[in-house]
Amino acid sequence: MKIATTSGELRAHNRVRLLRAVHDCGAARTRSQLTRDLGLARGTASVLVAGLADDELLHEEPASEHARGRPTQVPGPHPHGPLALAADVREDAWELAACELGGRVTVLEVRPHDGTPEGALAPLGEAVAAHRRRLGHRVVGVGMALPGPVRHGGLVAITHLGWRSVNVPALLGLHPHAAHRGGSEPPDLPIVGNDTAFAALAEARRGRLRGVRVGLHLHVDFDLGGVLVVDGHPLGGAGETGAEFGHMPLGGGDRPCDCGAIGCWGMDVGANALLRHAGLAYGGGRGREQAEQVLATNEEAVATVARALGRGVAALVNAHDPEVVTLSGLGAELWERAGEALLAAGEPYLMTIRRDRPPRIEGSALGWRGALLGAMESVFDAFLTTEGLELWRKNHPDQARDTPDQQNVMHSTFEGENPI
Amino acid sequence: MKIATTSGELRAHNRVRLLRAVHDCGAARTRSQLTRDLGLARGTASVLVAGLADDELLHEEPASEHARGRPTQVPGPHPHGPLALAADVREDAWELAACELGGRVTVLEVRPHDGTPEGALAPLGEAVAAHRRRLGHRVVGVGMALPGPVRHGGLVAITHLGWRSVNVPALLGLHPHAAHRGGSEPPDLPIVGNDTAFAALAEARRGRLRGVRVGLHLHVDFDLGGVLVVDGHPLGGAGETGAEFGHMPLGGGDRPCDCGAIGCWGMDVGANALLRHAGLAYGGGRGREQAEQVLATNEEAVATVARALGRGVAALVNAHDPEVVTLSGLGAELWERAGEALLAAGEPYLMTIRRDRPPRIEGSALGWRGALLGAMESVFDAFLTTEGLELWRKNHPDQARDTPDQQNVMHSTFEGENPI
DNA sequence: AGTTTATGCTCTAGCCGTGAACAAAACCCT
DNA sequence: AGGGTTTTGTTCACGGCTAGAGCATAAACT
C-alpha cells in the first residue's frame, strides 16, 4: 500500500483504510468497533463516514444488538455503491457473479461451454457487457479467473486445452473504451488472472489463510496449481504468471507434460491423473464426472494421487516453511479421503526441522468458489486505493447533496431489497 | 512499511523515508535530488534534514561537483551516527564488520574456527561485545549470517556440521540485557539469519536484484540455499526458516541428506558435490580449498554440478516466474565456467511459455560478501523505521544544541578521518 | 423516572506539508 | 570585473488533517 506523505493524502488514506476494514469484515462490525480497530478518534471517524456516505460508498444501518450505551451504527455497502463483476472460467463451464462491498455475492449466470476460446469467451463477454450496461457506473471492475498462466495484459496459455496465447480481453470484446469523462484511465480492462492465484487470494481474505503470514495454497482441478501467499498476497511472479508449482518435477517421473516440460508434478495430481490411474480416457478438460466417480469408488487411484500430492507438499514445505497449507478444489476432497496416505508419502521428504513443527494442512474453507471470490477480491483490491476512490468520485454522477427531494427518493429505495 | 494515519506520524514517516533514501543510494545523492525523488517541497526537506542533523543521524557536506546554480549539499552518515555490526559465520571461519549509514563497511576481524558451536561463537561473541563497548550507543544492532536454517529467536540447525539446535544468542553471550533507560525494548538481541536470505537481501539492495520485483537468488557454498526475493524482501517463511530451496527433490536422486529428507537437490550442487564427483572426502564443512581446485581443474565434475544446478533452476523458474536469477558464492563461479551446461540441462524442464521469455541469469554483484552485507542491511531495516528512530532519539545522549562550545568541539572531530 | 454508559457530533488546538517570496551562492557572458 | 542567470536553501503564511475535550443523545440498568 502506498504511504501518505502530505496531510492531504492522509485523508484519502484513512478513507481507504476504513472502507477496506468494512469490506474485510464483511460489513459486520459496528462503527465504534471500527473506530477502535483503526485507532481513530471518534470525531475523525465521524467525518470519514459522513464523507463516504456522501460519495455513496457506505450506508449506515442501526446495529441490531445493543449493549449498554447509545446504540451504534453498522457501516455497510451503499445501495448505489460499487460493484465488482467476477467470472470463473473453467475447462468446461463458466460462472458470472456480482459482488458488493463487504463480499455479498449474487450469481448472475452459469453456462457450460465447448472448450474453445471463442465458445467459452464470446458469450461471457456479452453477458458481462449486458450486466455492465444494466448496472452502469456502479461496476468498478471485472475480474476473471482462468485455469492457466496469464500474462500481463490477459494473454492466456492453457496448454491442456490447446489454448496457446489467447487474448482474453479481445475475445471478451472488452477492449478499453475511449477516454472516460474525467480523463483518467478507466478501469474497463478486466483483471484476468490464474484460478489458483485467485483461489489463494480468496483463501487469504475470507478463508483459512486469513491472518497467516506465509501460507501455501494448492488448487487441484484437472491439473494442479500452487502458489505462496505472503501477508495476504499471492505471489504472482514477474509477468504475473507465477502460481505454477505444478510444473516442478516433484513427482519423480519424466513423462512429457502439455506445458512443454518433462516430469511435471501436476501430471500426477488432479482429475487427469485420477482418470489415468483408473484406465480411463483423459485430457482436453473433459471427464469431470468420471473423475468424481473415480474419486468416490477407486480407492487405489485416490491413494496414488494423494501420495503424489503429499510428496510435493513435503518438498514445498521444506523450501518455504509455510504456516498453513490449504487445498482447494479436488485437493480438499483428496485430503478428506486420503489424508493419511498424503502425509505418509510426504514424511520421508521432510527435513527433520520441519517434522518437528509441521505446518497445518487444511481443506479450503471456500470449496469450489475460491477462484470466483478471489477474482472479486482482486477487483476490490484495485478499487480500494486512493486512486480507485478518486476515480469513483470523478466518474460518479453528482450526489444529491443540496436537493432534499432527491434525498427522500434515495431513502425510499433504501427500504426495499435491491437484488443485483 | 507501516502507514501514517495522523499528522504526527507523517513527520516520523518522512524522516524514515529520507534516511532510507540516503542509505539506499550509498550517500551519493544531493539534497536537491533527494527532495525531488521523494516528492517533497524544498521547505519540508529543509526542516527534515535539520532535524536529522540535530539528532546526529545525518551530516551534510558540500557536493563536490556543481552545476549552474547555488551549490547543494550531500547528506551522508554523521560521524557520531548509527552503526550496524554484522558478522558472517561460515563453516570454517567468521568475519565481523561495522557499517555506517550509506553502506560503508569496515572489516573489524576475520578468524578461522573449528566448526563446533562453542569454538565458532564464543570468540565472536567476545569480539562483538568488545566493539560494542568501544562504540557505545552508536551500535544500533548486530546482524549475523549463519549457513543453516535459523528459527525465530536464533536457534540454528546446521545439519552438515552436526549443529542440531544451537542457541546462537546464548553462545554469543548476547542475552538481552536488563531494560534500557527509556523503557522500550532495546535492540540488544542480534538479528540471526540464514546466509542465503541475507545474501539475497544484499543483492536486492545493492546488487543485481535492485529494483527487481520478483527475483530468485541461489547461494552456493558447501551446500545450496535459495530464496525468492519479492519487492526487495527475501521471503523468510513462517518461522524465518525459509530460504531452503536446496532441500526440494529437484535432483532426481534419492540419496539421504543430512537434513533428514531424501533426494535433496542441494546434495548435487555445491562444494560437497564437487568433492564427491572428484572422488575426494567431503562433509563437515571441510575442504574448501580442495573444492576450489576441483572447480579449476576437473571440468567433468564442474559440468555435472552445473547440470544439476540448471535442472533445479528450470523447475524454480517454472514455478515462480522470476525476472532475474542471481547466483552467489560458488554459484557465480559455476555460472562463469559452465553456464552453457547449466542452461542446456535446464532446457527440457522449462515450460514453453518460460522458454519464450526466460529470466536473466547473472552472477552476484557482491561476490562472497553478500551474506555479510545482507546482515548489515537487515540491521538498518530494523533501525530505519519510526520505532527505530524514536528509540535512537530516546537512548541518545543529549545533542549539543544550546552550547556553542560543544558545537565547536564537534566540528573539530569532523575534520579528521574517524576509522570505525 | 432517574442514573449509568457508550456513542455520535462539534469545535478548538496543534502539527504538518505546500508554495510563494526572498536570500544565497555559484556559473555564464560581455 | 561586474551584472545577469540559475539553482538551491530558508522563512513564513495558509489550508488541511487528526486528536481530544465537551456536550448531546439514546439506549440499558436500577
Side-chain angles (χ1 to χ4, degrees):
Chain A
M1 191 186 278
K2 239 186 190 171
I3 61 171
T5 65
T6 79
S7 40
E9 291 168 52
L10 217 59
R11 167 63 58 97
H13 224 86
N14 277 331
R15 282 166 60 97
V16 170
R17 286 210 311 153
L18 180 54
L19 231 44
R20 178 91 255 168
V22 169
H23 180 65
D24 285 346
C25 73
R29 263 135 88 190
T30 66
R31 172 152 142 199
S32 61
Q33 282 178 313
L34 290 166
T35 305
R36 274 191 298 273
D37 294 350
L38 298 180
L40 297 170
R42 287 209 301 271
T44 309
S46 209
V47 178
L48 285 173
V49 170
L52 292 170
D54 237 33
D55 291 345
E56 301 197 320
L57 286 161
L58 282 185
H59 169 65
E60 281 194 326
E61 301 233 358
S64 55
E65 300 211 342
H66 305 284
R68 184 83 187 275
R70 172 173 174 171
T72 180
Q73 308 275 104
V74 177
H78 193 283
H80 302 159
L83 292 175
L85 291 183
D88 181 12
V89 181
R90 297 198 199 149
E91 283 88 343
D92 47 7
W94 54 253
E95 185 173 10
L96 177 64
C99 175
E100 54 190 354
L101 194 84
R104 206 181 64 173
V105 168
T106 310
V107 175
L108 300 173
E109 271 183 82
V110 182
R111 213 184 295 181
H113 64 76
D114 61 6
T116 66
E118 298 77 17
L121 298 177
L124 176 54
E126 286 167 28
V128 168
H131 286 289
R132 195 174 228 170
R133 272 193 302 277
R134 184 170 64 82
L135 298 167
H137 65 86
R138 292 186 63 193
V139 177
V140 294
V142 181
M144 202 152 294
L146 282 124
V150 178
R151 273 219 275 271
H152 196 73
L155 289 155
V156 177
I158 307 178
T159 46
H160 59 279
L161 286 187
W163 298 22
R164 262 196 64 79
S165 186
V166 175
N167 188 330
V168 171
L171 281 176
L172 288 167
L174 295 178
H175 290 288
H177 299 331
H180 253 223
R181 58 176 162 156
S184 313
E185 192 184 351
D188 278 351
L189 260 183
I191 301 176
V192 184
N194 176 272
D195 57 350
T196 300
F198 279 148
L201 178 60
E203 208 64 41
R205 298 293 165 76
R206 294 174 194 277
R208 296 260 155 79
L209 291 181
R210 194 166 185 156
V212 170
R213 228 180 57 73
V214 181
L216 171 66
H217 185 77
L218 298 172
H219 181 68
V220 186
D221 196 359
F222 284 99
D223 70 343
L224 167 63
V227 70
L228 215 55
V229 180
V230 179
D231 292 326
H233 297 276
L235 298 181
E240 294 299 330
T241 63
E244 293 298 339
F245 285 6
H247 295 282
M248 289 200 282
L250 298 175
D254 58 356
R255 196 190 312 271
C257 177
D258 286 328
C259 76
I262 58 179
C264 292
W265 178 36
M267 286 189 303
D268 298 322
V269 184
N272 283 335
L274 278 176
L275 294 168
R276 197 177 74 229
H277 287 306
L280 300 171
Y282 64 94
R286 300 287 127 182
R288 188 185 295 277
E289 277 143 37
Q290 291 96 308
E292 297 206 337
Q293 204 154 9
V294 173
L295 189 70
T297 57
N298 189 332
E299 274 190 39
E300 188 43 40
V302 170
T304 304
V305 169
R307 280 195 293 270
L309 180 56
R311 186 178 155 170
V313 167
L316 293 170
V317 167
N318 279 354
H320 296 288
D321 185 29
E323 206 174 313
V324 187
V325 179
T326 49
L327 301 166
S328 66
L330 274 181
E333 303 179 31
L334 285 170
W335 170 242
E336 209 172 295
R337 284 172 206 275
E340 293 294 325
L342 192 157
L343 289 176
E347 186 84 7
Y349 291 91
L350 274 184
M351 295 164 79
T352 306
I353 57 163
R354 299 283 186 256
R355 281 196 206 111
D356 293 346
R357 32 170 70 197
R360 302 196 303 277
I361 301 185
E362 298 181 351
S364 162
L366 307 169
W368 290 92
R369 268 287 169 76
L372 186 74
L373 293 175
M376 174 274 284
E377 288 295 340
S378 79
V379 171
F380 276 111
D381 277 4
F383 177 66
L384 295 178
T385 59
T386 50
E387 298 82 13
L389 295 189
E390 198 48 47
L391 208 61
W392 168 267
R393 222 169 179 172
K394 258 193 226 155
N395 294 337
H396 207 64
D398 291 325
Q399 295 86 30
R401 284 206 184 116
D402 343 294
T403 50
D405 304 69
Q406 285 193 21
Q407 284 267 345
N408 289 338
V409 172
M410 239 169 61
H411 274 291
S412 74
T413 63
F414 284 176
E415 307 293 323
E417 265 296 313
N418 69 326
I420 298 163
Chain B
M1 192 186 279
K2 240 185 189 171
I3 60 172
T5 63
T6 79
S7 40
E9 290 169 54
L10 251 177
R11 169 63 58 96
H13 225 84
N14 278 330
R15 283 167 59 96
V16 169
R17 286 210 312 152
L18 181 53
L19 231 44
R20 178 95 249 168
V22 170
H23 179 66
D24 285 346
C25 73
R29 263 136 87 191
T30 66
R31 173 153 143 198
S32 62
Q33 282 179 314
L34 290 165
T35 305
R36 274 192 298 272
D37 294 350
L38 297 180
L40 298 169
R42 287 209 302 271
T44 310
S46 209
V47 178
L48 286 172
V49 169
L52 292 170
D54 239 32
D55 291 345
E56 301 198 321
L57 285 162
L58 282 185
H59 170 64
E60 281 193 326
E61 302 232 359
S64 55
E65 300 210 343
H66 305 286
R68 184 81 190 276
R70 171 172 174 171
T72 180
Q73 308 276 104
V74 178
H78 193 283
H80 301 158
L83 292 176
L85 292 183
D88 180 11
V89 181
R90 298 198 198 148
E91 284 89 342
D92 47 7
W94 55 254
E95 185 172 10
L96 178 64
C99 176
E100 53 189 354
L101 194 84
R104 207 181 63 173
V105 169
T106 309
V107 175
L108 300 172
E109 270 182 82
V110 183
R111 214 184 294 181
H113 64 76
D114 62 5
T116 66
E118 299 78 17
L121 298 177
L124 175 55
E126 286 167 29
V128 167
H131 286 290
R132 195 173 226 169
R133 270 193 303 277
R134 184 170 65 81
L135 298 166
H137 65 87
R138 293 187 62 191
V139 177
V140 294
V142 182
M144 203 153 293
L146 283 123
V150 178
R151 273 219 275 271
H152 197 73
L155 289 155
V156 176
I158 307 179
T159 45
H160 58 281
L161 286 186
W163 296 23
R164 262 199 61 82
S165 185
V166 174
N167 188 330
V168 171
L171 281 176
L172 287 168
L174 295 177
H175 289 288
H177 299 331
H180 253 225
R181 57 177 164 153
S184 313
E185 191 183 352
D188 279 351
L189 260 184
I191 301 175
V192 184
N194 176 272
D195 57 351
T196 300
F198 279 148
L201 179 60
E203 208 65 39
R205 298 294 165 75
R206 294 173 195 278
R208 297 258 155 80
L209 292 180
R210 193 165 185 156
V212 169
R213 229 180 57 73
V214 181
L216 172 66
H217 185 77
L218 299 172
H219 182 69
V220 187
D221 195 358
F222 284 99
D223 70 343
L224 168 64
V227 70
L228 215 56
V229 180
V230 179
D231 292 326
H233 296 276
L235 298 181
E240 294 300 328
T241 64
E244 293 297 338
F245 286 7
H247 294 280
M248 288 199 285
L250 299 176
D254 58 355
R255 196 190 311 271
C257 177
D258 286 328
C259 77
I262 58 180
C264 293
W265 178 37
M267 285 189 302
D268 297 322
V269 184
N272 283 334
L274 278 177
L275 293 169
R276 198 177 74 230
H277 288 307
L280 299 171
Y282 63 93
R286 300 287 127 183
R288 188 185 295 276
E289 278 143 37
Q290 290 96 309
E292 298 208 336
Q293 204 155 10
V294 173
L295 190 71
T297 58
N298 188 333
E299 275 189 38
E300 186 45 40
V302 170
T304 305
V305 169
R307 280 194 294 270
L309 181 55
R311 185 177 156 170
V313 167
L316 293 170
V317 167
N318 278 354
H320 295 288
D321 185 28
E323 208 174 312
V324 187
V325 178
T326 49
L327 302 165
S328 65
L330 273 181
E333 304 180 30
L334 284 170
W335 171 242
E336 211 172 293
R337 284 173 205 276
E340 293 295 324
L342 191 157
L343 289 176
E347 185 83 8
Y349 292 91
L350 274 184
M351 297 165 78
T352 306
I353 57 164
R354 299 283 185 255
R355 281 196 207 111
D356 292 348
R357 33 169 69 199
R360 301 196 303 276
I361 301 185
E362 298 182 351
S364 162
L366 307 169
W368 290 92
R369 267 288 169 75
L372 185 75
L373 293 176
M376 175 274 284
E377 288 296 339
S378 79
V379 170
F380 276 111
D381 277 4
F383 178 66
L384 295 178
T385 59
T386 50
E387 298 81 12
L389 294 188
E390 198 47 49
L391 208 61
W392 167 267
R393 223 169 178 173
K394 259 192 226 155
N395 294 336
H396 206 64
D398 290 326
Q399 295 87 27
R401 281 202 185 123
D402 343 295
T403 52
D405 304 71
Q406 285 191 22
Q407 283 265 349
N408 289 339
V409 172
M410 238 169 63
H411 273 290
S412 76
T413 64
F414 283 177
E415 307 293 322
E417 266 296 313
N418 69 326
I420 298 162

